[in-house]
C-alpha cells in the first residue's frame, strides 16, 4: 500500500488522513463515521450559504451530510484537489 503524504498539485493529506480515506472507501464504517464527524462543520457552512426557500434547515443539513458521505467515498487525493473543496461542491449539489 503506497500512501503519499503530499499529493500532486498540493493536496496536503497526512498519512493518517489518507489511510482514513482508503479504509472508508474499502467499506470501513468507523472510518466513514470519523470523517463525517470531522467535516460536519463544512456541511453546516455550505448549507448556511444556500438559499433554502421552503426547505427546512435540518432537512438541508441531512441532504448535505449525504453529499459529504458521497464525497468521502469518491474522493481521490491523487487528483490534487483539497478534500474540503471537493466535498463543498458535492454538498451544495445535494442541497
Amino acid at each position: 500500500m503506497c500512501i503519499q503524504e503530499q499529493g500532486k498539485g498540493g493536496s496536503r493529506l497526512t498519512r493518517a488522513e489518507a489511510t482514513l480515506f482508503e479504509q472508508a472507501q474499502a467499506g470501513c464504517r468507523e472510518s466513514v463515521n470519523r470523517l463525517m464527524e470531522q467535516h460536519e462543520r463544512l456541511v453546516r457552512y455550505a448549507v448556511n450559504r444556500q438559499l433554502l426557500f421552503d426547505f427546512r434547515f435540518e432537512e438541508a443539513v441531512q441532504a448535505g451530510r449525504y453529499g459529504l458521505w458521497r464525497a468521502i467515498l469518491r474522493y481521490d487525493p491523487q487528483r490534487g484537489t483539497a478534500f474540503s473543496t471537493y466535498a463543498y461542491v458535492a454538498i451544495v449539489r445535494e442541497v
Side-chain angles (χ1 to χ4, degrees):
M1 187 180 308
C2 179
I3 301 171
Q4 294 181 356
E5 285 189 30
Q6 184 170 1
K8 206 173 189 181
S11 175
R12 300 179 199 286
L13 286 180
T14 64
R15 225 177 247 279
E17 290 171 327
T19 302
L20 268 178
F21 279 106
E22 286 181 1
Q23 291 172 346
Q25 292 167 357
C28 177
R29 288 183 184 180
E30 291 175 19
S31 296
V32 172
N33 290 339
R34 190 170 192 189
L35 287 166
M36 293 287 289
E37 288 174 10
Q38 287 177 355
H39 297 285
E40 175 69 21
R41 290 181 65 203
L42 179 63
V43 171
R44 293 190 175 271
Y45 173 78
V47 169
N48 279 329
R49 304 218 10 128
Q50 301 301 308
L51 294 174
L52 298 179
F53 298 105
D54 292 333
F55 207 34
R56 289 190 2 231
F57 180 77
E58 282 305 317
E59 291 175 359
V61 168
Q62 190 62 30
R65 287 179 184 138
Y66 178 71
L68 176 62
W69 175 73
R70 290 181 62 168
I72 289 169
L73 297 181
R74 295 180 178 176
Y75 178 63
D76 181 12
Q78 300 300 325
R79 299 191 84 179
T81 305
F83 178 71
S84 59
T85 303
Y86 180 80
Y88 181 83
V89 173
I91 292 165
V92 169
R93 192 175 298 142
E94 286 301 321
V95 174

